Amino acid sequence: MIPRRALLAGLAAATLPAGRAARAQDPEWPRAIAIGTASPGGAYHAYGLGLARLLTRELGIAVNIRETSGPAENLRLLAENAVQIAFVTTGAIQEARGTTALALFTMFDTPLHIVVRRDSPVIDLAQLAGRSVAVGPEGGTGADYAPRIFYALGTEIRPVHGSWDALAARFAAGEIDAIAVASGAPFPAISGLEARRAIRFLPFTPSQVTRARLAAPELGATTIPAGTYPSLNRPYVTVGLYNLAVARRDLPASLAFEIVRDVFANQAALIEAHPAAAATVPANFVHNTVLPWHPGAMRYYGSRAVTGTLRGD
């Protein structure tokens, strides 16, 4: 008797279009891959779910996400082969020093959002001194950068850690004074609060942007476009980091090539998962200044005639 698992695998392969089934049967390819994302309520999580659905459909292999605390844990899990693809920031790569990860594609910018409740007396970042500020899971980008940035501005906050869904609920209940999140916009947890007309955004002044970047040179000056959130009627001035999708060095080059090609060929599906994927385009390869490219990614970009400034092994 054919084992049930083998029978189901055979039936699944039989339902795939011929080209996809053939790709899934490449002897070098794993039968399944995992993507290290972040906690629910954030852009990494939503984007990862969309990417997993897309790649499962296009590659003909099982692609799943693993919920994590963010880039630092993702790099550790990648090194342990617990995930084969990971979402990271350029800052996390620089801090890791010595990672063997290779870049697949650039994802989107990660602007730092800082919001307070609409009825809060706080009108300036400096007024958050001594107040409780949600910064996300320990090891995440917000948890790493927000306290450092506030310290550079001469303001020490009381950081509060946890999943973004839980932190948003505590913020709405009045238990936390502010939220400082580094993520692609719109950020799901903030969008939920925004829909209830519960928040106000606190922008950076030009001098605050400069001080933040002096403290963490990997940060870039950036803006969240007006209209990204309903209450933003003008661009939101802040700082941010770029995000990369990276892979293990031993991911087959043919699979890496197909992943990159499928991502760019099906960008609309990623945008449906999270609007920040509008920035997931080949031309943004220039934002990777920290990692060599995976040979499979190099092959894709080479076919697009954009190899002039790519780094490879």
Side-chain angles (χ1 to χ4, degrees), residues 115 118 190 194 197-201 226-234:
V115 303
R118 187 171 292 273
I190 289 182
E194 170 89 339
R197 301 180 180 276
I199 58 174
R200 273 190 296 110
F201 288 81
T228 301
Y229 299 95
S231 68
L232 277 184
N233 53 20
R234 65 183 65 183

Side-chain angles (χ1 to χ4, degrees), residues 108-283:
F108 50 80
D109 195 11
T110 290
L112 181 65
H113 309 39
I114 302 175
V115 303
V116 294
R117 284 184 298 280
R118 187 171 292 273
D119 60 356
S120 171
V122 175
I123 59 173
D124 181 81
L125 296 181
Q127 294 178 331
L128 288 174
R131 293 181 181 269
S132 58
V133 179
V135 296
E138 292 190 56
T141 305
D144 184 13
Y145 279 91
R148 292 163 55 189
I149 290 171
F150 276 107
Y151 184 80
L153 301 182
T155 302
E156 290 198 55
I157 60 170
R158 290 189 291 116
V160 182
H161 301 97
S163 74
W164 279 115
D165 283 347
L167 290 173
R170 293 183 61 190
F171 171 85
E175 299 175 12
I176 298 173
D177 295 308
I179 290 176
V181 57
S183 178
F187 185 65
I190 289 182
S191 292
L193 294 167
E194 170 89 339
R196 295 151 59 182
R197 301 180 180 276
I199 58 174
R200 273 190 296 110
F201 288 81
L202 298 180
F204 283 69
T205 65
S207 65
Q208 288 171 334
V209 168
T210 299
R211 289 164 69 184
R213 295 188 67 197
L214 286 172
E218 65 271 24
L219 293 171
T222 190
T223 59
I224 299 176
T228 301
Y229 299 95
S231 68
L232 277 184
N233 53 20
R234 65 183 65 183
Y236 176 81
V237 177
T238 184
V239 293
L241 294 160
Y242 228 83
N243 298 277
L244 308 176
V246 303
R248 287 179 54 83
R249 189 175 292 267
D250 59 4
L251 188 77
S254 60
L255 177 55
F257 174 85
E258 295 293 347
I259 288 171
V260 175
R261 182 169 69 174
D262 287 337
V263 163
F264 293 132
N266 297 276
Q267 184 200 21
L270 287 179
I271 294 174
E272 185 176 348
H274 195 284
T280 304
V281 295

